[in-house]
């Protein structure tokens, strides 16, 4: 029987809070129950917001909590060359295109379109979808702009990618944290429009790095927060066009703050370091998150 492999994949762009503690401990419990592996992955591709200080703080918090993971830890910022190879493949296969519109230009395009009475579609986070103009730019024009150093991001041509992927775009989602049964969820990557797959200076994005790493690390079970449920559709599509294996997913409940809202990394009172400083023990944290 193959070993089940779980992972916890935080981004060091702030301090860990109770929501992270729940996710990490749930992964640990599930890995232990299955006599499987628990990996830790540092998702630090955003080199402006992720810092070594935040990473050191995260590792200290996780050790204090009693989390045990396999070494070595995978740090995404150390693997840009690998992501770049995959990006080159997507470029070669014409599944991505350079998108040049600035935020201001996108806003102006949408305002204009809505003035003419047309509601512009938004993604599940409420962000307007990327306008179609750049997809139609002639290759010569793309090359000219890139040569002139125009800022751009590589966006997935979701229509072409879906056509290439074919019909089977569902993923297996466990129905609860006992992981005893799954249901199939149809992936709807088109709801996100042409998502960013890489930046001009960083040859990846969250979606590309996550699917590549889950595959490279042999992750069989992706257990993460409910807030990433619909993003899974984009990741399923990338797995299909890049011919990567598909893990099974469980999107767990979110730990909410006293105001009923999702916790954020800037909410100090639910931060693990603040709780520890205030005298809380790892057992208190487990109790607070219901484990
Ligand atoms: N790095 C992501 C975060 O901190 C989690 C990604 C994932 O679990 O797939 O929100």
């Amino acid at each position: 029987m193959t070993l089940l492999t779980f992972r916890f994949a935080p981004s060091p762009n702030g301090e860990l809070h109770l929501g992270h503690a729940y996710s990490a401990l749930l992964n640990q419990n599930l890995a232990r129950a299955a006599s499987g592996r628990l990996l830790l992955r540092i998702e630090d591709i955003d080199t402006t917001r992720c810092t070594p200080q935040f990473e050191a703080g995260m590792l200290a918090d996780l050790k204090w909590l009693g989390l045990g993971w396999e070494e070595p830890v995978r740090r995404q910022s150390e693997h840009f060359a690998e992501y770049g190879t995959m990006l080159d493949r997507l470029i070669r296969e014409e599944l991505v295109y350079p998108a040049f519109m600035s935020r201001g230009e996108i806003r102006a395009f949408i305002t204009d379109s809505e003035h003419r009475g047309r509601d512009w579609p938004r993604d599940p986070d409420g962000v307007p979808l990327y306008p179609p103009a750049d997809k139609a730019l002639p290759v010569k024009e793309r090359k000219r702009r890139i040569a002139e150093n125009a800022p751009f991001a590589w966006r997935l041509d979701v229509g072409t990618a879906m056509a290439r992927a074919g019909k089977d775009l569902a993923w297996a989602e466990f129905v609860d944290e006992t992981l005893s049964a799954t249901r199939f969820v149809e992936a709807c990557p088109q709801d996100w429009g042409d998502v960013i797959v890489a930046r001009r200076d960083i040859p990846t994005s969250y979606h590309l790095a996550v699917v590549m790493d889950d595959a490279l690390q042999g992750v069989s079970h992706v257990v993460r927060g409910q807030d990433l449920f619909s993003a899974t559709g984009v990741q399923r599509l990338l797995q299909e066009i890049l011919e990567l294996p598909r893990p099974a997913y469980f999107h767990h409940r979110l730990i909410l703050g006293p105001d009923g809202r999702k916790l954020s990394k800037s909410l100090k009172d639910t931060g693990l370091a603040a709780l520890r400083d205030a005298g809380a023990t790892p057992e208190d944290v487990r109790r607070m998150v219901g484990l």
Side-chain angles (χ1 to χ4, degrees):
M1 209 182 93
T2 47
L3 219 49
L4 302 194
T5 302
F6 294 78
R7 72 355 177 234
F8 177 57
S11 297
N13 55 10
E15 289 175 14
L16 294 185
H17 54 57
L18 285 174
H20 298 107
Y22 175 63
S23 201
L25 292 169
L26 179 62
N27 270 288
Q28 170 155 282
N29 287 355
L30 293 171
R32 277 194 184 148
S35 304
R37 307 164 66 204
L38 177 62
L39 309 178
L40 176 65
R41 185 163 77 224
I42 304 290
E43 302 212 323
D44 60 349
I45 57 169
D46 183 348
T47 47
T48 53
R49 291 173 63 221
C50 297
T51 68
Q53 288 77 12
F54 282 136
E55 184 188 315
M58 282 189 166
L59 294 176
D61 288 346
L62 294 174
K63 283 197 181 122
W64 171 75
L65 258 192
L67 201 78
W69 57 85
E70 262 182 40
E71 297 288 344
V73 168
R74 185 173 171 92
R75 197 170 286 106
Q76 290 186 326
S77 60
E78 293 170 355
H79 297 277
F80 284 164
E82 290 158 57
Y83 305 131
T85 306
M86 206 55 113
L87 172 63
D88 287 343
R89 171 171 162 189
L90 290 170
I91 296 171
R92 243 187 354 261
E93 295 185 7
E94 296 181 14
L95 288 164
V96 292
Y97 63 90
F100 297 98
M101 286 173 91
S102 66
R103 274 189 206 166
E105 286 169 333
I106 298 174
R107 220 176 302 123
F109 174 92
I110 288 155
T111 311
D112 184 52
S113 145
E114 294 192 329
H115 272 154
R116 281 187 270 126
R118 183 171 167 215
D119 276 347
W120 192 256
R122 284 170 163 70
D123 72 20
D125 286 344
V127 177
L129 301 195
Y130 192 73
D134 287 344
K135 205 161 26 192
L137 277 184
V139 175
K140 224 171 138 191
E141 175 62 11
R142 287 180 184 168
K143 286 194 172 149
R144 188 186 67 76
R145 293 198 195 181
I146 293 173
E148 278 178 358
N149 240 352
F152 72 93
W154 291 103
R155 284 186 180 264
L156 182 70
D157 180 342
V158 75
T160 304
M162 286 184 74
R164 206 87 53 94
K167 281 211 174 64
D168 182 17
L169 265 192
W171 79 81
E173 174 80 22
F174 289 104
V175 296
D176 62 33
E177 65 278 350
T178 62
L179 307 190
S180 45
T182 55
R183 65 188 169 101
F184 280 93
V185 179
E186 194 197 334
C188 299
Q190 69 278 17
D191 290 354
W192 296 90
D194 291 349
V195 290
I196 292 182
V197 165
R199 311 253 166 202
R200 183 175 58 169
D201 308 316
I202 298 179
T204 186
S205 66
Y206 159 62
H207 291 302
L208 180 60
V210 96
V211 296
M212 278 184 66
D213 285 353
D214 284 338
L216 271 162
Q217 295 189 288
V219 171
S220 58
H221 289 58
V222 174
V223 175
R224 60 186 180 188
Q226 185 65 33
D227 50 339
L228 289 169
F229 183 85
S230 67
T232 308
V234 175
Q235 296 173 16
R236 244 322 271 132
L237 175 59
L238 286 173
Q239 284 159 358
E240 201 60 28
I241 58 177
L242 296 171
E243 297 161 293
L244 300 174
R246 25 171 136 172
Y249 291 84
F250 177 56
H251 292 90
H252 59 66
R253 65 183 163 87
L254 298 179
I255 305 289
L256 303 177
D259 57 358
R261 291 175 50 181
K262 203 182 132 186
L263 299 181
S264 95
K265 280 178 177 150
S266 55
L267 284 176
K268 290 278 180 261
D269 52 340
T270 46
L272 298 186
L275 287 165
R276 184 174 59 215
D277 290 348
T281 64
E283 291 65 42
D284 294 330
V285 170
R286 281 175 198 271
R287 205 165 354 92
M288 289 167 88
V289 300
L291 281 175

